[in-house]
Amino acid sequence: MNTFDIAVFKDIFTIGSGENFIELNNTVGQRWFVPYRHNGLFLSLFQPSSVKGKLFAKSINWIKFYPMLLGIANARIVKLTFSKPFMDYANKVFDMQYCQFGIFCGSPGFHQKITIMAANKDRVMGYCKITDKKDIFTLFDNEFNNLKYLQFRGVCHIPTPLFCGELPFANLYAFFQTTERNGKVKYANYRSQEVLDFIKDLNNRTKLDIPFHNSDFAHSLIRLRKNLIFINDNKMKKTFADGVNLIENNKECFKLFCASHGDLTAWNSFIVDKHLFAFDLEYFKKSNPLLCDFFHFFTQDLLYNGYADSDKIYREYLNVKNTLPEVRHLDYLYIAYLLVIVDFYLNRDKGILNERLGSCFAIWSELIKRLMNNVKEIY
């Protein structure tokens, strides 16, 4: 069972004394601490998708004076202080004095970690992810190296990695990186041209002409076959197995592979100066199918922000597919993405799916069935 104890981070911050912070909580167990003063910049840590959350973010500067209203919004005022060793180290890494900090305690799950935003006056310096778990630090280390790889390939509008390792003053691991966020930014959706422009540029700069069996995608399919034993629903299991068979019988549709962000969504990116800036590349892969990131952004946006079912997602897919490149094999590419995301969660959670993920698996299964029928009719 996953455990997450905020007290583990006592060498970074403690609650109960110090400056005033606004503690925010939502219905899915996420938690934030933003400075009571100058909270506007730090509210960028809090990216609400619900109407209630957006209204709260816009009105926080007067709501914070009314404890009853804060309570209704699952918020409260707390005292919080950052340790001097952490503040000194962060100032050194970001090459800035007098940084101010806000905290996001992460999304509940196997890979939950602390994310701290550092700012100086009206300038955001960057972010620091912190964990006490070695398996999560492995993700940090992978992201650090993946960002270096993408910079080598000429990919722009991604963070610059600054430090990744064990903190010298605590038994904790940290990953520091820069950001292009400053002031107000615009959040993207799957219709945003900036999303497609970023993905096309990423795909073009990282294309690899390698044998199918050497790709990350092929390894994902092999792992998925093994992990299908964790699925109890036999119809769903058969659909995923049929999807893997379809791809493996049509390998000629996958002649090129490219890097994929791994979790490109509206909450892991933003639009600034007419381009998309993407961050949180913990699940990056070097050789996935083309447009894998677009299908992830598209599907996750409709699932989590549009509350869509498989019918709505499929209808919208038919509307957007002619606007995308590689039109001839788009159905195969979408099936490929869906198998990748099923493999990710099945491998990570070993079939122990919460209610939300169980619903997603059912939707992904229905989408694969529809796409396979479409493939049979067209090809």
Side-chain angles (χ1 to χ4, degrees):
M1 180 180 292
N2 178 60
T3 58
F4 185 82
D5 183 3
I6 200 170
V8 168
F9 304 95
K10 62 183 185 303
D11 290 323
I12 307 298
F13 66 93
T14 54
I15 300 171
S17 63
E19 299 290 328
N20 281 339
F21 277 70
I22 304 171
E23 178 187 340
L24 312 173
N25 295 272
N26 68 10
T27 56
V28 296
Q30 293 175 320
R31 188 180 186 188
W32 296 261
F33 295 95
V34 298
Y36 187 83
R37 296 182 178 182
H38 314 298
N39 55 63
L41 203 58
F42 289 93
L43 279 173
S44 61
L45 280 167
F46 178 59
Q47 299 182 15
S49 57
S50 69
V51 173
K52 180 181 177 181
K54 290 177 180 177
L55 286 173
F56 176 80
K58 288 183 178 180
S59 54
I60 189 172
N61 278 322
W62 64 268
I63 286 180
K64 68 183 183 183
F65 295 111
Y66 301 94
M68 184 180 295
L69 292 178
L70 281 175
I72 293 173
N74 292 322
R76 62 174 182 155
I77 306 298
V78 299
K79 298 283 187 181
L80 186 149
T81 184
F82 287 92
S83 72
K84 188 175 186 303
F86 171 74
M87 291 192 294
D88 290 344
Y89 199 76
N91 286 334
K92 178 181 177 181
V93 172
F94 289 120
D95 193 23
M96 180 63 67
Q97 291 184 328
Y98 312 119
C99 280
Q100 191 178 18
F101 307 101
I103 303 169
F104 172 47
C105 295
S107 298
F110 286 90
H111 293 162
Q112 186 171 1
K113 69 276 183 183
I114 291 286
T115 298
I116 296 177
M117 174 179 166
N120 180 270
K121 296 182 180 179
D122 60 348
R123 179 185 175 193
V124 182
M125 305 306 301
Y127 296 87
C128 173
K129 300 179 185 179
I130 303 176
T131 185
D132 64 319
K133 296 179 173 60
K134 287 189 176 180
D135 58 333
I136 298 179
F137 171 66
T138 299
L139 295 176
F140 293 175
D141 192 50
N142 288 339
E143 184 175 4
F144 182 91
N145 292 320
N146 292 334
L147 286 170
K148 291 288 189 183
Y149 169 76
L150 290 176
Q151 288 179 332
F152 173 75
R153 298 299 293 256
V155 177
C156 300
H157 309 308
I158 55 175
T160 297
L162 299 176
F163 168 83
C164 188
E166 188 171 359
L167 291 170
F169 56 88
N171 294 320
L172 297 169
Y173 305 99
F175 173 36
F176 288 79
Q177 58 186 290
T178 64
T179 183
E180 291 183 11
R181 177 189 293 276
N182 273 304
K184 291 184 178 181
V185 296
K186 178 182 176 183
Y187 296 106
N189 58 56
Y190 68 87
R191 300 183 189 88
S192 302
Q193 184 61 41
E194 292 87 351
V195 172
L196 189 56
D197 289 343
F198 176 86
I199 293 168
K200 288 166 64 176
D201 182 68
L202 175 64
N203 287 187
N204 289 332
R205 291 181 184 276
T206 62
K207 278 182 182 176
L208 295 173
D209 186 1
I210 59 175
F212 183 92
H213 65 271
N214 287 341
S215 68
D216 288 319
F217 177 50
H219 297 156
S220 180
L221 295 182
I222 292 171
R223 188 170 54 234
L224 176 57
R225 273 197 188 280
K226 294 179 180 178
N227 287 336
L228 285 177
I229 60 172
F230 296 119
I231 296 179
N232 295 321
D233 186 314
N234 288 328
K235 290 183 178 179
M236 185 183 294
K237 184 186 297 185
K238 183 178 185 305
T239 296
F240 295 145
D242 288 346
V244 174
N245 291 335
L246 177 71
I247 296 301
E248 291 183 340
N249 291 332
N250 292 274
K251 294 178 182 177
E252 68 277 5
C253 296
F254 300 88
K255 295 181 179 179
L256 290 174
F257 299 92
C258 61
S260 67
H261 177 289
D263 192 21
L264 188 64
T265 59
W267 43 96
N268 283 336
S269 65
F270 54 80
I271 296 172
V272 59
D273 296 332
K274 298 182 179 180
H275 65 256
L276 189 79
F277 179 83
F279 52 93
D280 278 355
L281 286 88
E282 294 175 2
Y283 308 119
F284 169 93
K285 296 294 182 183
K286 284 186 179 179
S287 50
N288 264 343
L290 300 175
L291 294 177
C292 204
D293 282 329
F294 174 80
F295 289 121
H296 185 70
F297 200 116
F298 167 79
T299 308
Q300 297 293 88
D301 197 1
L302 285 169
L303 275 174
Y304 288 94
N305 292 334
Y307 307 102
D309 58 13
S310 59
D311 287 335
K312 182 176 179 180
I313 294 174
Y314 183 71
R315 289 197 304 270
E316 188 59 19
Y317 165 68
L318 296 179
N319 289 333
V320 303
K321 66 182 296 186
N322 291 330
T323 69
L324 302 174
E326 304 293 336
V327 174
R328 183 182 176 190
H329 299 309
L330 270 182
D331 295 330
Y332 285 114
L333 293 176
Y334 196 6
I335 293 170
Y337 156 71
L338 291 167
L339 294 173
V340 166
I341 194 67
V342 168
D343 164 61
F344 171 80
Y345 283 109
L346 205 57
N347 186 62
R348 191 189 74 174
D349 300 349
K350 304 305 180 187
I352 305 174
L353 308 177
N354 58 34
E355 183 178 349
R356 180 59 180 167
L357 266 181
S359 174
C360 288
F361 265 63
I363 290 172
W364 296 332
S365 174
E366 287 299 316
L367 285 171
I368 288 175
K369 284 196 288 188
R370 286 173 177 265
L371 290 162
M372 286 194 298
N373 287 335
N374 200 32
V375 165
K376 292 175 183 176
E377 292 176 4
I378 295 176
Y379 302 102

